[in-house]
Every structure is written in C-alpha cells, then in structure tokens.
Amino acid sequence: QVQLVESGGGLVQAGGSLGLSCAASGRTFASFRMGWFRQAPGKERVFVAAIRWRPGTANYADYADSVKDRVTISSDSAKNTVYLQMTSLKPEDTAVYYCAAGPILSAGPSPDKPGAYDYWGQGTQVTVSS
C-alpha cells in the first residue's frame, strides 16, 4: 500500500500563486509516476500534471494543455514528495486537488488518465477568489 498526504491548499486571490505538496509513504516502485488531478463541484476529475521517475534517468513531466504555462510539477525522490507550483491562478482553477501515484507499466494507461494510478490522496481544496 501507498499512502499519499496532500498539503498546501487554501484560498488565494486571482493572479496569485500557490504550492501544493504530496508526501508518499509505504510501498515503493522502481519506476514510479505521481500525478495531480483536480475536481471542481459537479464536474469530473481532470488531469493537471504528472511526473515520472526511473532510476538512472531524468524525471519527465506531463502537463494538461489548459495549465502548462502556469503550473510546474517537481519532485524530491529522497523525500518521496511531489510538488505542484501554480501561478497566475484563475477562479476556474478552484477545485479539490488530488495527488495520485502508481507504477509505470509498459502497456498501461497514459499519465493523464485516472486509471494510470493505483493510489490517491484525500485531496486538498484550492479556492481562487475573483
């Protein structure tokens, strides 16, 4: 089992910045992917960003087109923690943000699909006021 704990959500004004963290504990994988999704009230959960790491290779990040100019995902493998830095926030960024994790499978779903992840955090609320 893998436990994921998100932190860093809150209320921010439009145009502001916010950083989220997700700490993973428990089982680890040789090749691992961690991602962020968000879910606004009454809407489906959508992909924000993901990062992959494999031993001996550089990390690789994926971003949703809607946020790629305003969001940066990074990781600290020593701390098993992934970060999401968001800038130029808009009211439409308001959502519960979920951290997800899972092993990288050669024939698995793409990183923007919830099915690519086996483990999910409880979520952290991000509210952007206009």
Side-chain angles (χ1 to χ4, degrees), residues 33-36 47-52 59-65 67-68 71-73 84 110-112 117:
R33 173 187 289 128
M34 292 185 74
W36 289 95
F47 173 70
V48 177
I51 191 164
R52 294 173 277 173
N59 292 347
Y60 183 84
D62 297 285
Y63 295 96
D65 288 341
V67 301
K68 63 182 179 180
V71 165
T72 302
I73 189 170
L84 188 72
S110 57
D112 62 332
Y117 305 88

Side-chain angles (χ1 to χ4, degrees), residues 22-73:
C22 174
S25 61
R27 180 185 179 186
T28 59
F29 303 91
S31 298
F32 207 70
R33 173 187 289 128
M34 292 185 74
W36 289 95
F37 286 72
R38 67 186 183 184
Q39 188 167 18
K43 297 187 178 181
E44 64 180 14
R45 191 170 299 188
V46 297
F47 173 70
V48 177
I51 191 164
R52 294 173 277 173
W53 60 78
R54 290 188 171 100
T57 64
N59 292 347
Y60 183 84
D62 297 285
Y63 295 96
D65 288 341
S66 61
V67 301
K68 63 182 179 180
D69 294 330
R70 302 186 291 117
V71 165
T72 302
I73 189 170

Side-chain angles (χ1 to χ4, degrees), residues 13 32 35 37 51 60 87 90 92-93 109-110 125:
Q13 289 188 331
F32 207 70
F37 286 72
I51 191 164
Y60 183 84
T87 62
K90 306 173 183 179
E92 51 264 43
D93 293 318
S110 57
Q125 176 70 46

